[in-house]
Each structure stands twice: as structure tokens, then as C-alpha cells.
Amino acid sequence: MTEVRPVDHHFTVDVEEYFQVSAFERVVSRSAWESMPSRVDRQTRELLDLMARYDARGTFFVLGWIAERFPELVRTIASAGHEVASHGTDHARVTTLDPTSFRASVRDSKRVLEDVVGIAVRGYRAPSFSIIPGGEWALDILVQEGYEYDSSLFPVRRRGYGYPSGGRDPYRIETPSGPLVEMPPLTLRRMGVNLPAAGGGYLRLLPAFLMQSAIRSSAARGAPATLYIHNWEIDPDQPRLPVSRITAVRHYRGLEHAAGRLEALLKAYTFRPMSETLDRLAL
């Protein structure tokens, strides 16, 4: 039997309000956001408490919109030893933006976050993993705007997102403007196909052993597994919005046991911020 060396994995959080998810765009307009009941502060602090219980440090991809309205929350994230990274300005999918709008989003969010925490923002994750084939121009802009790594290229085939040709472990991308390190979300490979196993709805809706298997496989390769969750996914009491049945299943099912599943992962594995992997691997 081959011995598997311990690996520090990545636990990441996409910090956004429950009403800002892409699937809700048709029922909650951006102009209505300010009037919606906010729950992001409470949800995120519950996650921070849970992570502290197991000495887990992670990377929090924070919307610029959130940082402008909850700067103290963002400072609390940083002071607890976690990395603060960018999730863009207002959760607009990259597929809906042109290069000028995308540049404004990643530039403005980086500036806002750095002003709040006083630390350089090194990483970015696109809302809904929305850098897809044909959108590589966005990676070049990230380098131009001072980002060192990205975590948007989900190496799966799925409607709405996915970058099937991407690597499964951290790797270096050469863009016209210079190198960028990609930190892809965790997948489980079966019968020559990459299956999503990184968290979010997959944590809530799929059997827990699938993610466990994917983490073990990643560790066997000596690579960090990149997991993710949204702060609203541990909040079963969040307001219900009038969405289609399939959207309701994807968003609301499993909320009641997400925290328990997450706690089991935090207890079983060691998690450290992506920036530490970036420095260690020197890709």
C-alpha cells in the first residue's frame, strides 16, 4: 500500500448575500438588493466560529459590494487568519461582461478589499465559475490587474459553467501578460470523466463519501483539494424566494445538514489559505 503524505487542503468561502446568486437574477433585480433583508454577517460569522473550532484557515472570496457595506466583517475575516480574495464587484457572471466591464469589476473589488484589510489581494474567483472556453481574455486581464492566482476554471462539463480542458490540480497558465496560477475546484474522476465534488450544492445534495473519495484521491497525488461553500448554505432559516422548482431544489435542499457535513470535513482534514499554497509551490 502506498503511503499518502498529509496535505494541507483549501477550504474556500464565496461571501455573498443569499439573494445575489445567479439563479435568482430573474426574481431579485440588482436595484432591489438594498431593500432585501441581509443575512451575510450572521452567516459568515457562524462559519468563522466553526472554522476556529478546528483551527481551519481558508480563503474568503468576497464581493466588493459586500466589502463596501460590511467592512468590519471583512476585517474580522482577515484578523482571524484567513485570506481575503476577490469575487468581483456585484456577482455579475463573466459571460455577461465585456473586457472593459470585467476589468472594472476586478479592479474595483481589489481596491475596495485592500482598502478595508490593508493587505494585498492576490486571488480571484468568478461568480458561478463563469470563465469558460473562449473567455481566456479574462485571465489576461487578471494578470494585468495584479492578481497572482485564479480559482474559476472548474474542469467539468456542466451547463452554465465548466472548463473541461483545465487541469485538476494547481497549475500555471501563461497569458499574454504573464503567468497566472490556477487553483481549480475539486473533482472526482470516474470512467474518464471529471465529476464535480468541490462543495456547494454538491456537498448538500450528493452522498458525503463522494467528496471524501475525491479528497483522498487528491491527497494521494500530493495535491491540495479545493473545496468551497457559500455562507448562505449553512442557513436553513433564510427567506424563501419565488423561484422555479428545480432552482428551489438546487438552492434550498440540504441546507439543514450542510453545517454538519462541513464540520466533519473540518475535523478530518487540515485547511490552509490558497496564498500559502501559491508561495509553497512557486508555480
Side-chain angles (χ1 to χ4, degrees):
M1 179 179 295
T2 301
E3 181 181 359
V4 177
R5 293 184 300 172
V7 175
D8 290 348
H9 299 293
H10 302 146
F11 180 71
T12 67
V13 182
D14 292 356
V15 183
E16 60 199 50
E17 291 281 11
Y18 64 94
F19 51 78
Q20 293 175 318
V21 300
S22 299
F24 291 172
E25 289 175 347
R26 294 184 179 181
V27 296
V28 183
S29 67
R30 280 174 167 74
S31 62
W33 283 1
E34 297 288 357
S35 64
M36 298 291 289
S38 174
R39 298 180 71 86
V40 66
D41 188 89
R42 178 193 309 176
Q43 296 162 348
T44 306
R45 290 181 187 277
E46 287 181 9
L47 268 176
L48 290 171
D49 290 344
L50 182 58
M51 294 175 73
R53 200 176 307 161
Y54 296 98
D55 189 32
R57 292 186 296 114
T59 297
F60 286 66
F61 292 95
V62 184
L63 289 178
W65 191 94
I66 295 293
E68 289 176 336
R69 290 157 179 80
F70 300 92
E72 190 56 40
L73 172 63
V74 181
R75 282 190 283 268
T76 298
I77 292 170
S79 65
H82 305 292
E83 178 186 11
V84 172
S86 170
H87 200 34
T89 298
D90 61 355
H91 212 263
R93 288 169 291 173
V94 179
T95 49
T96 69
L97 302 175
D98 60 24
T100 299
S101 299
F102 178 74
R103 185 185 300 277
S105 175
V106 299
R107 176 182 291 176
D108 292 350
S109 59
K110 191 174 193 292
R111 174 187 54 78
V112 168
L113 292 166
E114 290 177 344
D115 286 349
V116 169
V117 298
I119 303 170
V121 168
R122 305 172 70 184
Y124 170 79
R125 173 175 289 159
S128 303
F129 302 104
S130 55
I131 298 180
I132 62 175
E136 293 83 2
W137 53 265
L139 303 175
D140 191 38
I141 290 175
L142 288 176
V143 175
Q144 294 170 10
E145 293 301 323
Y147 290 88
E148 298 177 57
Y149 74 85
D150 172 69
S151 185
S152 306
L153 305 187
F154 210 147
V156 297
R157 294 185 184 276
R158 184 189 183 280
R159 183 180 180 183
Y161 66 75
Y163 199 87
S165 64
R168 299 176 63 210
D169 303 328
Y171 60 99
R172 179 184 174 113
I173 298 173
E174 294 295 340
T175 78
S177 299
L180 184 73
V181 172
E182 182 63 33
M183 305 278 193
L186 179 66
T187 55
L188 178 65
R189 192 162 181 83
R190 289 290 184 268
M191 300 179 65
V193 177
N194 291 344
L195 305 175
Y202 308 112
L203 171 69
R204 293 182 284 111
L205 302 175
L206 299 181
F209 74 85
L210 293 176
M211 182 175 289
Q212 297 275 356
S213 178
I215 296 172
R216 289 194 298 269
S217 177
S218 187
R221 301 192 301 272
T226 294
L227 311 182
Y228 75 92
I229 198 168
H230 302 87
N231 46 283
W232 50 262
E233 291 187 275
I234 63 166
D235 181 10
D237 297 324
Q238 64 187 267
R240 268 33 178 191
L241 297 175
V243 295
S244 68
R245 183 173 181 179
I246 188 169
T247 297
V249 168
R250 289 174 176 170
H251 187 88
Y252 298 124
R253 182 169 292 179
L255 293 177
E256 66 280 357
H257 59 238
R261 289 191 172 188
L262 172 57
E263 185 167 12
L265 293 172
L266 296 175
K267 184 177 182 179
Y269 303 101
T270 302
F271 295 97
R272 295 294 178 260
M274 286 181 161
S275 57
E276 294 187 9
T277 296
L278 186 71
D279 293 336
R280 185 175 68 252
L281 295 181
L283 288 170

